[in-house]
Amino acid sequence: MLKTISSVSEWRKIMRTPPGFTGKTVGFIPTMGALHKGHMSLVSRCMKENDISVVSVFINPTQFNNSDDFSAYPKTLRKDRGLLQKAGVQYLFLPAYEELYSDDYLYKIIETDFSKKLCGTHRPGHFDGVLTIVMKLLNIIKPGRAYFGEKDYQQYVLIKNMTKAMFINTEIIPCDTVRENSGLAYSSRNSLLGSDNKKIAAEFHRTLRQNISTKEVKRKLENFGFKVDYIKDINKRRFGAAYLGKVRLIDNVKQ
Ligand code: PAF
């Protein structure tokens, strides 16, 4: 039975009240909701590997560098709850902004190197917001393992390195990107693509995978109608971000 927890004190009470989670493993998946097959694959892995699974839904304003993007972010809480209930997840953590950011975001986690590259170059402050909220959530939930999708590979690397640097006792587990039949990576933002753009969006992954230079990839994507933020090869992985209309897509492939 899925139990919804809406405050930090409620969660701490559950952990504290005997027997709490003594002798049990706790797995955690932080999300911003609008759950899709990508999230649900993290959920099923988490449930296989842990006794207790916790999913949070919180649309984190500090990681949006554009207020229109924040307001347009899809909100599907009823459906999300149904999916989690059906999957057998035990806890849904639904915190409020006022509680998570009682300091009004005066305190932040800032990484000063990799977070300034790739998406960080185009979305200033984005990773400060991501790292800060993930640090808060890990400190609250205290999971043994937390699961992140490799579609957001830069995010995964930054979070993994943050937990190491800050001695956070949570194993950060990367999970394969889940794709639609067309190859398009599942993303909450895909629901904002119209049906015509959805077909074109499939070219993003197809083109990234081609054995051609980053310049060639950019040129091809622009011909399909994408506005490209970057295409970059780092450590045998090709990363890309591009807009299709107002929707920003990101993806990466191993080379
Ligand atoms: O990947 C996401 O959905 C978000 O960046 C995360 C990790 C839930 C933090 O808000």
Side-chain angles (χ1 to χ4, degrees), residues 129-192:
V130 169
L131 293 177
T132 304
I133 191 65
V134 171
M135 178 69 116
K136 286 175 192 264
L137 291 169
L138 294 179
N139 279 332
I140 296 164
I141 305 294
K142 300 201 181 302
R145 300 187 184 96
Y147 296 80
F148 294 86
E150 285 197 346
K151 180 180 81 67
D152 299 300
Y153 198 83
Q154 186 179 12
Q155 166 174 283
Y156 151 69
V157 170
L158 286 164
I159 290 169
K160 188 176 169 64
N161 292 345
M162 169 183 80
T163 56
K164 184 162 181 266
M166 300 295 167
F167 300 92
I168 299 288
N169 206 6
T170 301
E171 187 185 349
I172 302 299
I173 301 190
C175 300
D176 288 344
T177 303
V178 182
R179 299 182 181 281
E180 301 193 10
N181 289 338
S182 67
L184 176 66
Y186 278 102
S187 161
S188 305
R189 285 191 171 87
N190 290 355
S191 65
L192 304 173

Side-chain angles (χ1 to χ4, degrees), residues 217-245:
V217 172
K218 183 167 185 279
R219 195 190 54 77
K220 281 196 168 191
L221 288 175
E222 282 169 353
N223 286 343
F224 283 117
F226 291 87
K227 190 177 152 288
V228 176
D229 264 359
Y230 63 82
I231 306 292
K232 282 228 162 89
D233 294 340
I234 303 181
N235 290 343
K236 300 213 166 92
R237 199 173 273 272
R238 177 161 285 176
F239 295 84
Y243 281 90
L244 200 49

Side-chain angles (χ1 to χ4, degrees), residues 29-33 39 56 58-60 63-64 73 126 129-131 133-134 137 147-149 152 155 159 188:
I29 304 159
T31 81
M32 298 205 294
H39 293 116
S56 64
F58 178 69
I59 306 182
N60 174 38
Q63 70 187 75
F64 288 83
Y73 203 83
H126 167 66
V130 169
L131 293 177
I133 191 65
V134 171
L137 291 169
Y147 296 80
F148 294 86
D152 299 300
Q155 166 174 283
I159 290 169
S188 305

